[in-house]
């Protein structure tokens, strides 16, 4: 017993004098802890300021039933219950019973409301008793944020996301993922919380220890009108040909700014949605669109001229026992290289390349390298694969006896749609190859933090003389009656480009399918935009040639951009107009509280209601009033970000 007593005494002394600090700190950690307050992620905007992605705050409202004194609780329990009754619709007695039960059960974490928006949060925290705050009224507020895409499914994959799982692993996609860490994420804050029960914590103070710093806003190069045109043109064609998936990219020629990027894949129910970013991340054999690269190389090296004559024979030629065939049965006979390109003769182009480079294939590969075709684009968006260009000098370089001939018409090589488009854009841009751009600038409120400028990948991919020759080839594809793209020709609008139809899974005839594509630019004489359309696995019974499947999408986009571009309802989820003016005003007010700096659509509202709504948003308003006072026009369009001290003029009649 004496020895046991000594042991207990020793342990007590050890805990008190040697390990006391450790256990006191541990006890403190279990009672009080610093909780991270996530910063609001910055918004993503279109070129013209339309909202593409935003973080919406959501709130849980809870009640610590032991915090109010007995006198305070009894004074406010009925008024609080009356307010909750009006809010939820149940009798006041129901809420009195729930609140009293919470106090009897010593519930320090009683749920009042879950996942409410900012407007409801402000309303609830001003209810009787809760308005007294955390120390007197027992109010507990927990805030989270939810990422929303006001444009819905349009360009959602390209706008992207940054997601964390329960283990902290992150998955990133698109613009949101690419620029999240550097610009959008912001800096988290801290708040002390006290443990009030098993797994239950309440804020120790009304204020944060460290306030979160919200992320910057990024302004993309996306034009929502062009994006809408591209999306629906692609969707219509995918549905018509029952294709597996497809993509469209529209790029401004001089700057490389991407005005639209749409990626649609089919689900098991047959509906199309933004499944993957095919334009950036899916590499494939381009087929006949690569004939432009092959001929540009030959013309630049002065070993091929467009006037050279090639014999397509009977539409079939063989190299090392492997056949190269034309889609046109019987071939084209003896034709110029120019016509071979225009009719997309595989045998004609292969004959020209084989004659020029058959004894020196490395020279052909070197020219492709000189035109940047072996380099990726170094995009900030994750997932871009490196191009595949076979090289006879590289071990395991995918070279074979027929590699040169296959490369001539787009087989054995592999490029993404955006890599292919970048080359076509360089031709349209008189030889200057520019990097595709997705961001215009980064802002903090109205101040530009980071501007993005044009990046040149290659100042001159080939001579001006070569550029003029291949530009004429691309123009002839559309304008000449024998050209594979002639069905796209319009007397009123000029286009230039190249069709492409490549086989997919050609080693297995049972699974043989096709990739249909069209790449080019418009207008042909003074290119403003370049564009590529790639559609995978169209229904062979309906059609699969690039001119039939992808070409019409290209034409529809080009014509709509320059002739009848619609003014679309860019962010349909923000258009909250309904029949009842009272409901309408309430909905608009919620929108204003949620999006704060985004201009709502007030057309159709009574002028006084519109005035009240906008003034609640701290906007200066001028009303030009005539007649009965219904707003007919607003000076700032719906969904445009409002500037500090901006004046909005409303015309009402």
């Amino acid at each position: 017993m004496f020895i046991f007593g000594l042991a207990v005494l020793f342990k007590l002394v050890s805990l008190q004098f040697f390990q006391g600090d450790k256990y006191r700190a541990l006890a403190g950690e279990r009672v009080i802890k610093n909780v991270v307050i996530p910063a609001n992620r910055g918004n993503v905007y279109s070129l013209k300021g339309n909202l593409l992605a935003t973080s919406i705050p959501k709130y849980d409202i809870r009640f610590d039933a032991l915090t109010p004194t007995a006198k305070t609780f009894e004074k406010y329990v009925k008024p609080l219950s009356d307010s909750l009754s009006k809010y939820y619709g149940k009798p006041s007695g129901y809420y009195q019973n729930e609140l009293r039960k919470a106090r009897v059960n010593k519930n320090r974490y009683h749920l009042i409301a879950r996942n409410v928006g900012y407007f409801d949060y402000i309303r609830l925290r001003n209810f009787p008793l809760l308005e007294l705050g955390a120390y007197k009224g027992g109010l507990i507020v927990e805030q989270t944020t939810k990422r929303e895409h006001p444009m819905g499914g349009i360009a959602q994959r390209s706008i992207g996301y940054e997601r964390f799982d329960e283990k902290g692993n992150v998955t990133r996609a698109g613009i949101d993922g690419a620029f999240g860490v550097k610009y959008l994420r912001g800096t988290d804050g801290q708040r002390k919380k006290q443990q009030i029960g098993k797994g239950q914590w309440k804020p120790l103070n009304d204020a944060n220890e460290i306030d979160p710093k919200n992320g910057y806003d990024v302004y993309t190069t996306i034009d929502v009108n062009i994006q809408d045109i591209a999306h629906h043109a692609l969707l219509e064609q995918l549905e018509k040909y029952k294709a597996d998936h497809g993509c469209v990219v529209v790029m401004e020629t001089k700057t490389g700014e991407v005005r639209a990027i749409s990626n649609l894949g089919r689900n098991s129910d047959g509906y199309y949605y933004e499944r993957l970013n095919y334009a950036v991340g899916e590499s494939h054999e381009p087929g006949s669109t690569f004939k432009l690269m092959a001929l540009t190389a030959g013309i630049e090296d002065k070993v091929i001229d467009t006037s050279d004559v090639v014999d397509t024979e009977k539409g079939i030629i063989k190299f090392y026992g492997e056949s190269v065939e034309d889609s046109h049965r019987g071939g084209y006979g003896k034709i110029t290289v120019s016509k071979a390109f225009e009719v997309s003769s595989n045998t004609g182009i292969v004959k020209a390349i084989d004659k020029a480079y058959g004894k020196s294939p490395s020279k052909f590969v070197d020219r492709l390298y000189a035109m940047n075709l072996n380099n990726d684009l170094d995009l900030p968006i994750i997932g871009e694969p490196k191009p595949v260009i076979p090289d006879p000098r590289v071990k395991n370089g995918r070279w074979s006896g027929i590699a040169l001939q296959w490369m001539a018409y787009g087989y054995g090589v592999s490029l993404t749609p955006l890599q292919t488009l970048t080359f076509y854009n360089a031709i349209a841009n008189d030889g200057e190859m520019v990097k595709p751009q997705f961001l215009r600038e980064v802002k903090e409120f109205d101040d530009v933090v980071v501007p993005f400028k044009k990046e040149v990948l290659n100042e001159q991919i080939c001579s001006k003389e070569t550029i003029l020759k291949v530009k004429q080839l691309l123009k002839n594809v559309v304008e000449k009656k024998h050209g594979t793209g002639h069905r796209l020709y319009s007397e009123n609008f000029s286009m230039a480009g190249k069709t492409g139809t490549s086989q997919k899974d050609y080693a297995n005839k049972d699974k043989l399918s096709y990739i249909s594509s069209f790449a080019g630019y418009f207008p042909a004489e003074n290119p403003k935009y370049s564009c590529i359309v790639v559609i995978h696995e169209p229904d062979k019974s309906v059609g699969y040639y690039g001119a039939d499947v992808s070409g019409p999408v290209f034409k529809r986009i080009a014509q709509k951009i320059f002739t009848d571009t619609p003014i679309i309802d860019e962010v349909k989820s923000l258009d909250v107009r309904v029949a009842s003016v009272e409901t309408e005003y309430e909905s608009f007010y919620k929108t204003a509280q949620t999006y704060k700096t985004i201009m709502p659509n007030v057309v159709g509202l009574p002028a006084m209601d519109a005035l009240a709504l906008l003034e609640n948003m701290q906007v200066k308003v001028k009303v030009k009033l005539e007649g009965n006072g219904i707003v007919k026009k607003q000076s700032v369009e719906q969904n445009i970000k409002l500037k500090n001290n901006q004046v909005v003029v409303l015309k009402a009649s």
Side-chain angles (χ1 to χ4, degrees):
M1 291 294 293
F2 178 73
I3 294 171
F4 178 74
L6 286 176
V8 171
L9 181 63
F10 174 78
K11 190 66 176 176
L12 288 172
V13 172
S14 175
L15 288 173
Q16 179 69 26
F17 295 102
F18 299 105
Q19 294 179 288
D21 291 342
K22 172 186 173 182
Y23 285 104
R24 276 189 290 273
L26 186 61
E29 287 176 8
R30 289 178 177 174
V31 176
I32 298 172
K33 68 176 181 180
N34 281 319
V35 177
V36 172
I37 304 172
N40 279 337
R41 198 173 183 83
N43 293 334
V44 179
Y45 294 95
S46 75
L47 179 70
K48 297 178 181 178
N50 306 102
L51 190 64
L52 302 179
T54 188
S55 291
I56 304 299
K58 297 292 182 181
Y59 303 88
D60 287 353
I61 309 296
R62 294 181 180 272
F63 173 57
D64 181 352
L66 294 185
T67 291
T69 63
K71 183 179 180 180
T72 301
F73 181 81
E74 289 301 327
K75 178 181 178 181
Y76 288 106
V77 65
K78 187 178 185 304
L80 173 58
S81 299
D82 291 343
S83 296
L84 290 172
S85 175
K86 290 179 181 178
Y87 181 81
Y88 283 111
K90 291 184 179 180
S92 176
Y94 169 82
Y95 295 103
Q96 285 193 56
N97 184 53
E98 290 294 306
L99 292 169
R100 291 185 182 281
K101 189 190 300 181
R103 189 166 175 88
V104 169
N105 293 335
K106 299 181 179 180
N107 188 341
R108 309 198 67 179
Y109 208 60
H110 178 68
L111 181 66
I112 298 291
R114 186 190 299 279
N115 201 36
V116 297
Y118 182 80
F119 174 74
D120 287 330
Y121 156 67
I122 294 297
R123 182 178 173 185
L124 284 160
R125 72 170 296 151
N126 285 298
F127 281 0
L129 187 58
L130 300 181
E131 66 182 350
L132 300 180
Y135 288 114
K136 294 182 178 180
L139 174 67
I140 301 173
V141 179
E142 295 178 333
Q143 179 182 338
T144 57
T145 57
K146 181 182 178 183
R147 200 67 168 166
E148 291 190 357
H149 296 85
M151 282 186 70
I154 295 179
Q156 190 167 1
R157 190 72 189 186
S158 299
I159 296 166
Y161 56 80
E162 183 180 58
R163 294 174 183 163
F164 293 86
D165 63 18
E166 64 278 0
K167 295 181 180 178
N169 299 316
V170 62
T171 304
R172 298 186 178 94
I175 293 167
D176 211 321
F179 299 102
V181 175
K182 199 167 185 179
Y183 303 123
L184 289 164
R185 192 186 289 176
T187 305
D188 294 339
Q190 283 189 359
R191 190 174 194 183
K192 287 189 182 296
K193 287 192 175 183
Q194 182 180 20
Q195 190 173 26
I196 55 175
K198 188 176 181 180
Q200 298 177 352
W201 298 79
K202 67 174 286 186
L204 194 62
N205 303 303
D206 283 339
N208 300 323
E209 269 61 45
I210 301 174
D211 287 324
K213 185 180 185 300
N214 293 338
Y216 295 128
D217 295 333
V218 299
Y219 284 73
T220 71
T221 61
I222 300 295
D223 183 305
V224 292
N225 279 326
I226 297 177
Q227 180 68 42
D228 185 67
I229 290 168
H231 173 88
H232 287 99
L234 177 64
L235 177 61
E236 181 180 334
Q237 205 73 344
L238 289 172
E239 291 176 338
K240 178 179 178 180
Y241 283 89
K242 303 174 184 176
D244 182 73
H245 65 276
C247 67
V248 171
V249 184
V250 180
M251 189 157 67
E252 189 175 75
T253 303
K254 298 296 182 186
T255 64
E257 291 189 343
V258 175
R259 291 287 176 256
I261 177 169
S262 183
N263 301 276
L264 296 174
R266 185 175 59 190
N267 65 15
S268 57
D269 296 323
Y271 295 104
Y272 292 94
Y273 69 107
E274 289 262 338
R275 189 169 67 186
L276 295 169
N277 198 334
Y278 305 110
V280 170
E282 184 174 46
S283 190
H284 63 89
E285 292 177 310
S288 293
T289 54
F290 196 80
K291 289 173 182 173
L292 175 67
M293 292 75 156
L295 282 191
T296 302
I299 295 169
E300 182 67 8
D301 283 337
K302 301 187 185 307
V303 292
I304 296 176
D305 191 79
T306 55
S307 61
D308 292 344
V309 175
V310 289
D311 187 356
T312 64
E313 300 183 19
K314 294 182 179 180
I316 301 177
I317 56 177
K318 289 193 175 183
F319 294 90
Y320 301 96
E322 296 288 341
S323 295
V324 175
E325 300 181 13
D326 281 330
S327 58
H328 184 266
R329 292 184 180 275
Y332 300 92
K334 292 182 179 181
I335 57 175
T336 63
V337 167
S338 176
K339 186 172 181 180
F341 184 83
E342 292 153 14
V343 300
S344 201
S345 169
N346 296 333
T347 58
I349 299 299
V350 169
K351 275 280 193 81
I353 294 296
D354 180 65
K355 181 181 178 181
Y357 295 104
K359 294 181 180 179
S360 56
S362 297
K363 185 178 179 183
F364 178 68
V365 174
D366 284 341
R367 178 54 63 187
L368 298 180
Y369 286 1
M371 297 188 296
N372 285 72
L373 286 167
N374 61 317
N375 298 326
D376 61 39
L377 301 171
D378 190 28
L379 299 173
I381 293 179
I382 297 165
E384 182 197 11
K386 190 176 177 64
V388 174
I389 304 291
D391 190 330
R393 299 159 296 189
V394 178
K395 188 177 181 180
N396 298 324
R398 301 195 182 193
W399 195 260
S400 67
I402 59 168
L404 175 67
Q405 292 76 22
W406 276 51
M407 290 170 71
Y409 69 116
Y411 285 89
V413 297
S414 188
L415 298 169
T416 67
L418 194 53
Q419 289 163 356
T420 297
L421 178 62
T422 300
F423 185 87
Y424 273 74
N425 191 78
I427 299 297
N429 198 27
D430 294 327
E432 184 183 59
M433 180 179 281
V434 293
K435 181 177 179 177
Q437 294 282 359
F438 292 91
L439 286 195
R440 172 64 71 84
E441 56 194 8
V442 176
K443 284 186 174 184
E444 184 176 27
F445 301 107
D446 291 326
D447 297 326
V448 176
V449 178
V450 182
F452 288 84
K453 298 180 180 179
K454 179 178 76 173
E455 289 188 47
V456 178
L457 300 176
N458 190 325
E459 291 183 358
Q460 197 68 41
I461 63 169
C462 59
S463 67
K464 298 288 187 180
E465 182 183 1
T466 299
I467 290 291
L468 289 173
K469 288 183 177 181
V470 296
K471 271 188 170 183
Q472 189 61 50
L473 291 179
L474 293 166
K475 192 175 178 182
N476 289 348
V477 168
V478 176
E479 292 189 356
K480 290 202 172 181
K481 289 185 178 180
H482 59 246
T484 55
H486 186 66
R487 270 173 280 186
L488 310 181
Y489 176 71
S490 170
E491 291 183 357
N492 303 317
F493 188 80
S494 63
M495 296 168 281
K498 181 71 185 75
T499 57
T501 308
S502 59
Q503 294 182 348
K504 191 175 181 180
D505 297 322
Y506 45 80
N508 187 338
K509 290 186 178 181
D510 293 333
K511 292 185 177 180
L512 177 64
S513 57
Y514 294 89
I515 303 171
S516 304
S517 56
F518 192 95
Y521 49 85
F522 51 90
E525 293 77 17
N526 184 24
K528 171 72 172 174
Y529 297 107
S530 61
C531 176
I532 189 168
V533 182
V534 180
I535 293 178
H536 284 250
E537 302 175 35
D539 187 335
K540 290 178 285 188
S541 66
V542 183
Y544 57 85
Y545 286 111
D548 300 325
V549 181
S550 295
V553 179
F554 181 97
K555 181 178 181 179
R556 198 172 299 127
I557 292 169
Q559 287 187 321
K560 279 184 173 288
I561 286 175
F562 279 98
T563 56
D564 60 344
T565 303
I567 300 174
I568 66 165
D569 181 8
E570 293 94 342
V571 190
K572 295 177 178 61
S573 63
L574 290 183
D575 186 4
V576 291
R577 282 181 291 173
V578 288
S580 166
V581 170
E582 183 178 351
T583 306
E584 186 170 33
Y585 178 77
E586 184 178 343
S587 298
F588 269 131
Y589 185 73
K590 289 182 181 180
T591 299
Q593 293 300 323
T594 300
Y595 293 97
K596 299 183 183 68
T597 60
I598 304 301
M599 181 66 189
N601 180 9
V602 297
V603 173
L605 278 180
M608 295 311 294
D609 286 343
L611 181 65
L613 166 67
L614 293 172
E615 286 182 345
N616 261 305
M617 297 171 63
Q618 309 302 313
V619 176
K620 296 178 181 178
V621 185
K622 290 183 179 179
V623 180
K624 295 182 179 180
L625 184 62
E626 298 175 4
N628 59 10
I630 301 298
V631 178
K632 300 296 183 183
K633 191 174 182 180
Q634 57 192 61
S635 63
V636 179
E637 292 182 14
Q638 178 188 5
N639 306 320
I640 296 295
K641 185 178 181 181
L642 294 163
K643 299 177 181 178
N644 290 335
N645 299 315
Q646 181 154 7
V647 176
V648 174
V649 179
L650 304 179
K651 290 185 179 180
S653 61

